[in-house]
Amino acid sequence: MTIHQDRFQFIDEEITQNMQRFNIPGMAFVLADENGTVYSKGYGVLKQDSALKVNTSTNFHIGSISKVFTSLAIMQLRDAGQIQLNDPVTTYLPWFATKDPNLSSRVTIRDLLNHTSGLPGRLNAHDLTGASLETIEPQLSRKLQNVSLVAEPGTTYEYSNINYDLLQLIIEEVSALSFPDYMSQQIFQPLGMKRTFFNQDNELEPNSATGHRYLWGNLRPFHEHLAYATLGSAGLSTNATDLGIYISFLLSDSAASNNSVLQSSSLREMRTAAIYDSSIGYGYGWEMTRNTIEKKGGLPGFTANLIIVPGKSYGFALFANSKQNITDETNFNIYRILEGDTPIHLAKADYPAISPINKSLLYISGLLIFIVLLMWLPTLIRCFTKQGVCFLLKPTTATILICFVLNITINLAVQYYIYIYVPFVSGAPSLYRLTTAPDSVNGLTLLSITWLVFSISVVCKSLVRLNKTSQRVQKSTKSITPPRQ
């Protein structure tokens, strides 16, 4: 691969200006072809306000890019004759069953690889505890038993992390090794990826980046301990040097030195779309366009983007220790630079640190507080200044229906939406385990409190009346004045 040296300067400028504009502490970039790394570099620091610099050996968690390594392991086991892609999942995990066991019994390993199992996108294994098959499998079995498939297996693309969490268990069942050990012994060591591993905490290793995320517009370090059961879908830690090796491996279809890892025919198969959704193809964990195969990755404190251009035999990746979509957009601009095109200006206003939805949650909560103050402030002032006396009214039928029944029903619906529905569709066991969206969690919590206060205020206001003291005194005076003789 031949690239003009000025392209590297343009790449550096694109990365550094976006780091400054969007307050990203550290990034790393690698460009490789079938012969090895062409260009790689680290930018910024391991952690906000740290003096430790990012280099090409600095480890980042890469989120869902982990899936393309898990799929590689499955293909390796297929090449070794230990599994067949068209085998039902129940061949290797006999306990696997959803609400309709007859339907879920048709889910194959190929369906898990291609996200065509029909398992809902909201499902994940973040709430599962333990690190052995004996502890994880019963929990996952219970989790699936009331789940309905969203489509017939093999017919519809539905991205779901649980597909690759199940593949992790299959690898452990077939190999009789723990998932991290299998990946290290059978994938990373043969390829020479010396600092790549599946782990639950990226910062356990030296020269590892700390994740960061925004909290109401302020960037803060964030430490996450992943569940062991999610390693196959999101738990890989790697660096620019090692990922350059992996990119070269993917592009070298027939390299004899790599035959121990995967047959060249299987490598080509992994670059072939199994199903299409609009113009995007999907297969083996990858997203495929006309010219590229791509994978995005993200955790609450990290983002990464990997793009392979098979037709021109090069690939590149960008890592960031900050949870921002700007990482993907920056890497797409790098692709434009490498292709000789002009990158798109990424304006800060187009990527706000606080989303419009979260701002709306604050505005609604503020409005509710303002309404409550308008309802009660005059009454409280008169009571404390002894200008009036409060007393309770007997509720009428209309008051009971509107202020009690309707108001309480609406309040219960709001609380249900916030604390039950939102976690359910997000795949989190509770609202406060939704670590990918801290502003949304805080905003929804504030909304639930202010709405509850508003509801209670409406009920109380319908039962309380204020009599002015002067009127009561006047009436009292009239009643005790003796008649004239």
Side-chain angles (χ1 to χ4, degrees), residues 16 47 145 162 190 226 260 268 306 464 484:
T16 54
K47 184 179 179 180
Q145 64 186 3
I162 205 76
L226 296 172
S260 62
R268 289 191 294 272
L306 170 61
V464 175
R484 293 182 180 180

Side-chain angles (χ1 to χ4, degrees), residues 340-417:
D341 297 328
T342 302
I344 297 172
H345 176 69
L346 303 174
K348 191 170 184 177
D350 295 331
Y351 302 89
I354 305 176
S355 73
I357 292 177
N358 291 329
K359 286 182 180 179
S360 297
L361 292 175
L362 292 181
Y363 294 152
I364 294 171
S365 297
L367 178 61
L368 291 173
I369 293 172
F370 180 70
I371 292 173
V372 170
L373 289 175
L374 286 181
M375 290 169 59
W376 287 103
L377 198 57
T379 300
L380 293 174
I381 290 175
R382 289 176 180 175
C383 286
F384 282 114
T385 57
K386 299 182 179 180
Q387 297 179 22
V389 177
C390 293
F391 64 97
L392 295 177
L393 294 175
K394 181 180 180 181
T396 63
T397 302
T399 299
I400 293 173
L401 290 175
I402 296 175
C403 295
F404 284 80
V405 178
L406 181 60
N407 182 44
I408 291 174
T409 300
I410 294 174
N411 182 61
L412 289 174
V414 170
Q415 304 302 327
Y416 173 85
Y417 177 84

